[in-house]
Amino acid sequence: QLHWTVQALALQYLTKKFTGSEKIKAQKTKGLTKRLIGFEVLGRQIPREGYEIFLKGRLAGKVTSGGMSPTLKKNIGLAYVESTEPVTEGLEIQIRNEKIPCLIVKGPFFTSESLKRFKSLKV
């Protein structure tokens, strides 16, 4: 999934054998099946690692990290979702047997205002 980091050398490396080369070739030909998405919980519940994520009603993945953002004052998280197409809506997180709607957020999770607040905090 991270072959874009060496995009200039990607074609050159796809002809060589190294650890993980077969998986990279398969991903290149078949495309990615998982997408890392950022989300904001539309409620007071806090997302935690391992909580299930549903996309348009079907189980699609799990939360990799989540919590309350002190600078944004929102509950946010990251999750890998099984999807071959871009994920834009219909995301829910299951917390204590209840499905909570989530807003899909493009990273990074900070705004210029939250960054200003963070810099003004005295540690």
Side-chain angles (χ1 to χ4, degrees), residues 2-89:
L2 297 175
H3 84 279
W4 61 269
T5 57
V6 288
Q7 193 167 10
L9 302 173
L11 293 174
Q12 173 185 332
Y13 284 117
L14 287 178
T15 60
K16 297 182 180 182
K17 278 213 170 254
F18 56 90
T19 304
S21 64
E22 294 303 316
K23 188 164 186 165
I24 290 174
K25 286 178 189 174
Q27 286 177 348
K28 190 74 173 155
T29 57
K30 294 178 187 174
L32 299 176
T33 58
K34 289 185 181 181
R35 296 183 180 276
L36 181 66
I37 58 164
F39 63 90
E40 174 188 326
V41 178
L42 298 177
R44 297 182 65 210
Q45 298 84 347
I46 298 175
R48 299 288 183 210
E49 180 184 356
Y51 284 6
E52 293 178 333
I53 292 283
F54 290 83
L55 187 59
K56 297 179 183 171
R58 67 171 178 79
L59 179 63
K62 291 192 177 194
V63 174
T64 58
S65 64
M68 166 48 164
S69 168
T71 55
L72 294 175
K73 308 240 187 298
K74 297 177 181 179
N75 298 325
I76 59 173
L78 294 171
Y80 271 110
V81 176
E82 292 281 342
S83 177
T84 54
E85 357 177 302
V87 179
T88 57
E89 59 184 33

Side-chain angles (χ1 to χ4, degrees), residues 105-119:
V105 180
K106 186 177 179 187
F109 280 113
F110 63 87
T111 63
S112 59
E113 279 302 309
S114 66
L115 193 58
K116 287 176 190 174
R117 272 184 275 165
F118 179 74
K119 287 181 178 179

